[in-house]
Amino acid sequence: MTVSLATKFLDYTYENPFMNASGVHCMTTKDLDELATSEAGAFITKSATTSLREGNPEPRYFSVPLGSINSMGLPNKGIDYYLSYVLERQRKFPDEGPIFFSVAGMSVEENLKLLKIIQESDFKGITELNLSCPNVPGKPQVAYDFELTKEILEKVFSFFKKPLGIKLPPYFDFAHFDIMADILNQFPLSYVNSINSIGNGLYVDIDKESVVIKPKNGFGGIGGEYVKPTALANVRAFYTRLNKNIKIFGTGGITTGKDAFEHLLCGATMLQIGTELQKDGISVFDRVQKELIEIMEEKGYETIDEFRGKLASI
């Protein structure tokens, strides 16, 4: 039996469904080159703002036994830096899979400005609009404001004609799944990425009797194993509520092939790895793929489509 991890998304078939999560191993062109030549099926750029941002003061990321806490504050080199990179890569490697390009404005106006730049460019990949950055002091998460989310998407799709996905924070209530899905189903989205980190967690160093990151008095986004049950719930909730032409990208707590299998079983099409990539480096993609293939072999699955979304209820 030959197991294939081939994954079709839009008009392209990727060798496997694995990607980096935006924000991890994608700040510089060197990082992006390493992702492009890694075992990942695709990669996404750092969420870009209009201009370079230094981000929050350090320490702003801390690795903990079951994951991570961070309050990065959207450090990035600005949209021109990443756009020039992806345009050059498109030119050099025309047969390479479409690149994912992430943007995260600090306001509605900036989001629209960033997307207009991409719309007017020769970028042929897929754009991800980050509506869920939880770590910018003084700024609420857009995607927890349902009316504002709808307003942004109405404005975006009045001019944006290229493939677009959105990155969402976790939701914790069935009513919120229902409300957000009803909004998203009104728009021609290519995908929904669930989840970003769980916002405003707190980790304590008992020896120092202190928090472990500097911004926001130690409050930060939680990622890694801690968040997998929440991520799986969001993947499943949106998979069962959204139009089938809107795919689900599963992000959160993928450290092993078993975690990846669970995300796919819940309905995910592509899978993004963040905390484990930060901890292990790009070798994580090779390891997790091998573990996923072993599970599929044991279960007799030759392709992901044989089990994607087929989570049983009892």
Side-chain angles (χ1 to χ4, degrees):
M1 185 179 74
T2 302
V3 171
S4 171
L5 299 182
T7 299
K8 186 173 183 181
F9 176 64
L10 297 179
D11 295 325
Y12 188 83
T13 299
Y14 296 89
E15 288 186 6
N16 63 75
F18 294 101
M19 305 171 57
N20 64 305
S22 181
V24 183
H25 206 99
C26 56
M27 173 71 87
T28 66
T29 56
K30 178 176 180 291
D31 293 335
L32 294 167
D33 280 340
E34 289 174 357
L35 285 172
T37 56
S38 74
E39 293 299 316
F43 68 94
I44 188 167
T45 63
K46 187 80 175 68
S47 292
T49 50
T50 307
S51 304
L52 180 147
R53 280 180 60 88
E54 296 294 344
N56 292 340
E58 296 181 341
R60 57 194 184 187
Y61 176 94
F62 192 81
S63 178
V64 299
L66 292 177
S68 61
I69 182 170
N70 84 87
S71 182
M72 301 299 290
L74 276 176
N76 73 95
K77 294 184 177 293
I79 189 170
D80 291 344
Y81 178 90
Y82 300 107
L83 193 55
S84 63
Y85 173 82
V86 297
L87 292 176
E88 177 65 10
R89 189 155 193 98
Q90 275 181 183
R91 188 185 66 77
K92 280 185 176 179
F93 306 102
D95 296 327
E96 190 174 71
I99 298 169
F100 290 80
F101 193 102
S102 177
V103 296
M106 307 298 289
S107 64
V108 175
E109 293 72 27
E110 187 177 13
N111 278 325
L112 297 175
K113 177 182 177 182
L114 292 165
L115 291 173
K116 283 176 181 174
I117 291 171
I118 294 173
Q119 177 63 35
E120 293 167 6
S121 76
D122 291 327
F123 178 58
K124 295 179 173 60
I126 301 149
T127 304
E128 179 173 286
L129 174 60
N130 185 347
L131 295 180
S132 61
C133 185
N135 297 322
V136 179
K139 299 286 184 180
Q141 292 202 43
V142 170
Y144 284 148
D145 184 331
F146 299 117
E147 290 183 3
L148 180 59
T149 297
K150 184 176 181 181
E151 176 191 331
I152 290 174
L153 292 176
E154 286 174 343
K155 291 179 178 178
V156 165
F157 284 108
S158 70
F159 68 88
F160 198 80
K161 306 304 178 187
K162 297 181 179 183
L164 182 73
I166 57 170
K167 180 83 171 276
L168 293 178
Y171 297 96
F172 304 96
D173 193 292
F174 271 45
H176 294 161
F177 292 136
D178 293 340
I179 293 167
M180 182 54 76
D182 181 62
I183 292 169
L184 300 179
N185 278 330
Q186 298 175 43
F187 299 97
L189 289 161
S190 296
Y191 71 92
V192 166
N193 187 351
S194 286
I195 59 172
N196 206 333
S197 56
I198 296 179
N200 294 320
L202 189 69
Y203 193 84
V204 173
D205 183 329
I206 193 171
D207 295 325
K208 296 180 180 177
E209 300 181 16
S210 168
V211 300
V212 295
I213 57 174
K214 184 171 183 176
K216 296 167 63 178
N217 294 313
F219 285 72
I222 301 297
E225 293 180 57
Y226 289 117
V227 310
K228 188 179 75 167
T230 300
L232 293 175
N234 278 258
V235 167
R236 188 62 180 171
F238 284 116
Y239 179 78
T240 56
R241 286 168 172 79
L242 292 178
N243 299 331
K244 291 308 177 188
N245 57 313
I246 303 177
K247 303 305 180 185
I248 313 298
F249 284 20
T251 307
I254 299 176
T255 66
T256 67
K258 174 179 175 291
D259 303 323
F261 186 90
E262 292 172 7
H263 269 269
L264 295 166
L265 191 64
C266 286
T269 293
M270 301 291 281
L271 305 172
Q272 294 189 355
I273 301 178
T275 295
E276 197 70 5
L277 173 59
Q278 180 71 33
K279 291 185 175 186
D280 286 1
I282 57 174
S283 64
V284 69
F285 294 114
D286 181 57
R287 173 177 63 79
V288 174
Q289 281 177 65
K290 288 176 179 174
E291 293 170 353
L292 176 58
I293 288 171
E294 286 177 6
I295 293 170
M296 290 173 63
E297 286 175 340
E298 290 172 6
K299 290 178 172 289
Y301 293 125
E302 294 186 12
T303 69
I304 291 172
D305 285 338
E306 292 173 40
F307 64 91
R308 186 198 320 279
K310 295 181 179 177
L311 180 70
S313 297
I314 55 174

